[in-house]
Amino acid sequence: MLALSANGRLPKADYAIFADTGWEPRAVYRHLDRLEKEIAAPAGIPILRVSSGNIRRDALDPGHRFASMPLYILNQDGKQGMTRRQCTGEYKIKPIKRQVRELLGYPYPQRIPKDIFVEQWVGISTDEFHRAKDADVRYMRNRHPLIDLGWSRTDCVRYLSSLGLADTPKSSCLGCPFHGNAQWRHIRDTSPDEWQDVVEFDAAIRQGNARANAGGNRLLGQAFLHRSRVPLDQAPIDHVTAAEWAARQQELDDRAPMEEELENGVVDGCSPWACRAEADLVRDDFGLAS
């Protein structure tokens, strides 16, 4: 959408906002720098980087209120579960809304008049039109330009390729539990130090986040980043699923949903208003979904 706006295919955006969890892959930060230099700055579109902190550091800090990640749990009785996902609300939605309020001139806790709002573009393509939703606050009105254009994911990739941006990386936390085997292998095989980082984090959260431990509220089971519920450096990430073979052979229609999710991660992409996993919405002072 930024490129489409910069090149006149969409109206010129006033701002682009990047919500930084503090734990994105280095490739994402490099790509963001490139977009700012080659696409946004020449078009006069400021990129605003906002943050609520570093999610990795916060998770291991017993003095910090940790917004839980969706960790895979293995209970003592052998039953499996997942912790509640609050990270999207805390580290994506909240800082974006805070920035929008400041741009409108009504920082929290000021009330925003009913007739004051921003039009927010959300990059959902026609493949995932079911994820297009209205904003949950009056001062933000969601629009989905890719759906308006009738663009699919394939159309987006084709356009990015025409601009020399075919290597656009997927934006998500380095240690996101929704990674599939292909993503875990990519980290291990292309960035050994980032792989060591996530392996160490996986071991550190085995009994839950640091604050829970400090308060004596340890998990009754064990927490893991990989859905197999074994330590990440022992997880079966080299298992190449039917989905990956199908992708290699361009026979995507035949892949099994469970195999696809195991290999490529939960199907839906990761972004503030369209995260991979749905969660119950809880209201707080910012009107956030947490």
Side-chain angles (χ1 to χ4, degrees):
M1 293 189 303
L2 178 62
L4 287 168
S5 176
N7 293 328
R9 298 284 297 274
L10 290 174
K12 181 182 175 182
D14 296 303
Y15 299 94
I17 301 178
F18 175 76
D20 185 4
T21 66
W23 202 24
E24 294 274 350
R26 281 195 301 271
V28 170
Y29 294 117
R30 287 195 299 266
H31 186 73
L32 180 61
D33 290 340
R34 182 185 175 193
L35 287 180
E36 187 168 31
K37 179 180 179 180
E38 299 180 10
I39 303 294
I45 302 174
I47 294 182
L48 307 179
R49 307 188 189 204
V50 298
S51 177
S52 288
N54 183 298
I55 189 173
R56 187 195 194 283
R57 184 172 58 244
D58 293 347
L60 302 180
D61 178 5
H64 191 277
R65 186 188 72 81
F66 175 58
S68 66
M69 300 167 64
L71 304 173
Y72 297 96
I73 303 301
L74 181 63
N75 293 315
Q76 293 176 338
D77 60 4
K79 292 183 178 180
Q80 299 180 351
M82 289 192 74
T83 55
R84 184 183 179 195
R85 176 181 62 85
Q86 297 174 303
C87 48
T88 299
E90 182 71 19
Y91 291 91
K92 290 286 189 178
I93 299 175
K94 191 171 185 177
I96 289 177
K97 286 184 173 178
R98 183 185 298 116
Q99 180 67 75
V100 167
R101 277 180 158 272
E102 291 177 0
L103 292 173
L104 290 175
Y106 295 90
Y108 182 81
Q110 294 185 40
R111 295 183 62 85
I112 301 177
K114 293 182 179 180
D115 59 340
I116 301 296
F117 64 91
V118 299
E119 180 180 272
Q120 175 180 250
W121 296 354
V122 184
I124 296 175
S125 62
T126 57
D127 313 75
E128 299 171 333
F129 70 90
H130 59 283
R131 297 165 59 208
K133 301 176 181 178
D134 293 331
D136 62 351
V137 289
R138 290 183 304 189
Y139 62 86
M140 302 175 77
R141 297 185 183 180
N142 287 352
R143 180 184 168 193
H144 305 88
L146 299 178
I147 293 178
D148 294 341
L149 291 171
W151 277 29
S152 66
R153 180 183 295 270
T154 299
D155 294 317
C156 296
V157 172
R158 183 181 298 114
Y159 181 64
L160 290 172
S161 298
S162 73
L163 300 176
L165 299 171
D167 58 347
T168 295
K170 179 179 290 186
S171 174
S172 63
C173 286
L174 189 63
C176 179
F178 290 133
H179 285 341
N181 283 351
Q183 292 159 294
W184 290 125
R185 286 198 305 272
H186 178 76
I187 296 171
R188 182 195 63 188
D189 297 342
T190 64
S191 184
D193 57 333
E194 288 187 316
W195 174 248
Q196 184 63 32
D197 184 19
V198 292
V199 167
E200 291 176 356
F201 179 80
D202 174 70
I205 50 86
R206 193 71 68 234
Q207 299 299 329
N209 71 75
R211 183 168 183 175
N213 292 350
N217 300 318
R218 298 170 69 87
L219 291 176
L220 296 178
Q222 293 184 312
F224 302 87
L225 287 181
H226 193 268
R227 66 186 60 218
S228 64
R229 293 171 175 82
V230 300
L232 186 58
D233 57 354
Q234 301 173 32
I237 66 173
D238 285 309
H239 171 58
V240 180
T241 64
E244 186 174 5
W245 289 114
R248 293 175 182 177
Q249 300 169 17
Q250 299 299 307
E251 296 175 354
L252 303 182
D253 291 341
D254 295 329
R255 46 189 188 182
M258 289 299 292
E259 286 284 282
E260 179 183 0
E261 187 170 299
L262 177 61
E263 181 62 17
N264 295 316
V266 179
V267 177
D268 289 343
C270 186
S271 68
W273 273 263
C275 192
R276 289 179 174 122
E278 296 298 332
D280 294 335
L281 301 183
V282 176
R283 308 289 295 195
D284 66 10
D285 290 339
F286 281 91
L288 304 184
S290 58

